[in-house]
Amino acid sequence: GVDCLAIIREYSVARYKRGFDSISAIRHLAKFDKDLMIWIRKIGSVETSLRWHQPFEVVDALARAILYQQLHGRAAATIVAKVEQAINSKRIQASTLASLSDLQLRECGVSANKLLALRDLARRELTGEIPTTRQLQYMNNQQIIDALTPTRGIGHWTVEMMLMFRLGRQDVLPVDDFGIRKGMQVLDRLAKMPTAKELKARGEIWSPYQTMASLYLWRIADFDKKP
């Protein structure tokens, strides 16, 4: 596993803020990508979709991500509500998960695979392999990905969503995301969606504000017509 405390000792000089200046981000994008700027003017602000300043706990956020995987929002919300009722708490933690048997979790609608993932998440928290929210402030994006993805059911994309929407990291481009790739296809008027490698290369001009570009690519993917 990843030694989170060792990472903090090594990198404690750097502390990452949650969120970034959206005006500076848009100015950067406008300077280096005129096509994207046309869309930014058409779409307007996307800041309402951000939750950078809302408090959260890492295990709770990851547990909810596991429960929501491969389900429609309403069905997943129903399962989460049943789990919250079973643990008598709105916070999903290793200790509260441990208070439920496998049968009780299955009765909440948790699948066998997700049950194994939740157990692995709880075990890793208890052994100190899951960094706390405070510890994340001293870890760069790749260190966070390396620390969390060994957990069963937690993939690269899930951590990227946490980096963007929970931690407000400014330079994240989820190159494997369908909506991001579709948005890139519309933006550049491509015959087919770009590969992850092509998207990564294309996104270099947006750095260090790839997160803001990503937010707009999702919106662009929703449009059928060029601006």
Side-chain angles (χ1 to χ4, degrees):
V2 176
D3 188 339
C4 300
L5 292 178
I7 289 174
I8 291 171
R9 285 193 294 270
E10 183 177 353
Y11 293 93
S12 59
V13 174
R15 182 176 182 273
Y16 294 85
K17 296 189 301 181
R18 291 181 66 180
F20 55 89
D21 184 355
S22 60
I23 295 177
S24 296
I26 289 176
R27 285 176 178 168
H28 175 87
L29 298 178
K31 180 179 179 181
F32 292 99
D33 196 326
K34 302 303 181 185
D35 289 337
L36 180 57
M37 191 57 200
I38 293 174
W39 280 99
I40 291 174
R41 291 196 181 107
K42 178 182 178 70
I43 294 169
S45 174
V46 296
E47 290 187 64
T48 55
S49 65
L50 306 179
R51 297 175 289 170
W52 294 334
H53 302 296
Q54 296 181 13
F56 79 101
E57 295 181 5
V58 179
V59 169
D60 179 76
L62 294 177
R64 292 172 189 276
I66 289 170
L67 292 171
Y68 266 83
Q69 286 172 357
Q70 299 178 328
L71 290 175
H72 291 296
R74 184 175 297 178
T78 298
I79 293 173
V80 170
K82 289 181 178 179
V83 171
E84 290 176 343
Q85 184 177 15
I87 63 177
N88 193 30
S89 174
K90 293 292 185 180
R91 296 165 55 202
I92 303 176
Q93 301 173 294
S95 57
T96 55
L97 286 174
S99 68
L100 299 181
S101 67
D102 289 356
L103 178 60
Q104 286 175 304
L105 282 170
R106 295 285 279 141
E107 288 176 343
C108 292
V110 179
S111 69
N113 283 336
K114 291 182 179 181
L115 172 61
L116 292 174
L118 290 175
R119 294 303 190 203
D120 188 43
L121 174 64
R123 179 187 65 78
R124 289 176 185 276
E125 183 194 28
L126 293 173
T127 57
E129 296 176 61
I130 303 298
T132 65
T133 306
R134 177 175 174 77
Q135 289 171 341
L136 293 181
Q137 298 176 29
Y138 300 95
M139 299 167 67
N140 65 35
N141 294 353
Q142 190 57 52
Q143 290 162 352
I144 294 173
I145 291 171
D146 292 342
L148 298 181
T149 52
T151 304
R152 185 183 179 116
I154 301 298
H156 201 277
W157 181 88
T158 300
V159 182
E160 287 176 327
M161 295 305 103
M162 175 181 287
L163 290 170
M164 294 176 68
F165 293 100
R166 296 288 193 171
L167 296 175
R169 295 294 172 91
Q170 67 181 37
D171 206 24
V172 181
L173 180 65
V175 295
D176 295 313
D177 183 273
F178 179 87
I180 295 291
R181 293 171 62 207
K182 181 63 178 178
M184 185 73 260
Q185 180 186 8
V186 175
L187 174 65
D188 282 356
R189 299 176 289 278
L190 304 173
K192 60 180 181 180
M193 287 193 295
T195 64
K197 183 177 180 180
E198 291 169 340
L199 180 53
K200 183 177 180 180
R202 173 68 169 83
E204 289 179 359
I205 65 170
W206 301 327
S207 187
Y209 293 109
Q210 292 185 105
T211 295
M212 182 61 77
S214 297
L215 296 175
Y216 279 102
L217 288 175
W218 273 314
R219 297 293 183 90
I220 292 171
D222 293 332
F223 282 79
D224 293 327
K225 294 185 288 186
K226 292 180 288 185

